[in-house]
Amino acid sequence: MNILLVEDESAVASFIQRGLLEAGHQVALAMDGNTGLQMALAHTFDLLLLDVMLPGINGIELCRSFRTQNTQTPVLMLTALSATENVVNGLDSGADDYLVKPFKLAELLARIRSLARRSGQPGTPAANMLQLADLQVDLDGKTVQRNGRSITLTATEFRLLVYLLQNKKRVLNRMEILENVWDVNFDMGTNVVDVYVNYLRRKIDKHFSPKLIHTVVGMGYVLKEVYDHEDSN
């Protein structure tokens, strides 16, 4: 997606811009409201990311002015103002969604994907794609990406990941996994499932957040989003 980011805090802007680029998006940056509005009206973007507190005109005014000429392009507000009236003001100005600072990059990327799906913009996962958080699996191309980075899996690891994704948020016991990934319908008396789940964790979870592969003690495994501040089994 081609995204316009309007953010006056350089450190925040750099963090967001880097994350969006790594996820495969194109990013244009404006550091004040007036410049942001000029760029939004002069060029075609797939999404606007607007900070509320900006030099010149603020994000609310920018969004309201933009909406007088463009009612289709999704707008996501980024702000430290979390009070209900601030959220309402942002949405009433024409924004499609509202994300309160501080936020995790994975949440921002998830919001962007959601807006892309709703608006029919490029970046919407196709029918042959499986996705959770910033993890994407292309079933046709047999490729895996997390946060825009390619991940190389063996054939067995790929089958295991696909099965977990197809049953995300559902606890799967070891026999279910053996039957569906290895086509084995009896207990082999080995820890093959645990070994391959650990292989997958090293590639899918070790260097990323949120963690996706979780052990449910005495029951099996589940694939779901759990952020660092949340309790995980």
Side-chain angles (χ1 to χ4, degrees):
M1 295 179 71
N2 186 20
I3 298 173
L4 173 62
L5 170 63
V6 187
E7 169 62 65
D8 65 311
E9 295 183 39
S10 57
V12 175
S14 177
F15 163 74
I16 295 173
Q17 188 172 34
R18 184 170 61 252
L20 293 176
L21 290 171
E22 289 177 354
H25 299 291
Q26 300 176 48
V27 186
L29 176 63
M31 302 292 287
D32 64 82
N34 293 320
T35 301
L37 179 58
Q38 292 172 8
M39 292 175 64
L41 296 176
H43 304 281
T44 300
F45 294 97
D46 299 315
L47 174 74
L48 269 57
L49 292 180
L50 307 180
D51 185 29
V52 170
M53 305 298 291
L54 293 168
I57 62 172
N58 62 38
I60 301 292
E61 295 168 331
L62 193 165
C63 185
R64 189 173 289 117
S65 297
F66 178 70
R67 282 292 183 236
T68 63
Q69 299 188 47
N70 184 315
T71 60
Q72 301 300 317
T73 301
V75 175
L76 174 55
M77 290 286 193
L78 307 174
T79 181
L81 304 174
S82 60
T84 300
E85 58 268 27
N86 294 317
V87 175
V88 171
N89 286 338
L91 296 176
D92 283 349
S93 73
D96 298 277
D97 203 354
Y98 202 99
L99 187 57
V100 176
K101 299 176 182 179
F103 53 80
K104 290 184 177 291
L105 181 61
E107 183 178 4
L108 173 61
L109 293 174
R111 298 288 187 96
I112 290 172
R113 289 192 296 271
S114 177
L115 289 173
R117 286 192 295 270
R118 283 156 51 184
S119 64
Q121 296 286 355
T124 304
N128 62 345
M129 299 286 289
L130 295 175
Q131 186 167 323
L132 179 64
D134 56 353
L135 173 67
Q136 289 186 322
V137 174
D138 183 339
L139 297 176
D140 290 341
K142 300 293 189 294
T143 60
V144 179
Q145 287 191 341
R146 180 114 199 237
N147 195 21
R149 290 168 53 184
S150 295
I151 297 173
T152 302
L153 300 181
T154 65
T156 303
E157 290 167 348
F158 185 85
R159 289 198 307 273
L160 176 57
L161 179 60
V162 167
Y163 184 63
L164 292 172
L165 272 169
Q166 289 172 333
N167 294 274
K168 60 188 176 184
K169 299 182 181 180
R170 175 174 167 242
V171 178
L172 302 168
N173 63 47
R174 288 168 178 79
M175 279 304 303
E176 287 179 287
I177 297 173
L178 279 172
E179 291 172 4
N180 288 277
V181 177
W182 280 268
D183 196 24
V184 173
N185 57 9
F186 60 91
D187 189 350
M188 294 189 299
T190 72
N191 63 343
V192 62
V193 171
D194 307 281
V195 168
Y196 271 86
V197 166
N198 284 331
Y199 288 163
L200 206 53
R201 272 184 170 140
R202 291 173 196 162
K203 295 182 178 182
I204 298 299
D205 270 350
K206 186 175 181 180
H207 301 293
F208 300 94
S209 180
K211 301 306 179 187
L212 299 179
I213 304 173
H214 307 280
T215 303
V216 181
V217 178
M219 299 181 68
Y221 297 98
V222 61
L223 194 73
K224 63 180 181 180
E225 295 179 63
V226 174
Y227 291 86
D228 294 337
H229 66 276
E230 296 176 314
D231 186 26
S232 172
N233 289 317

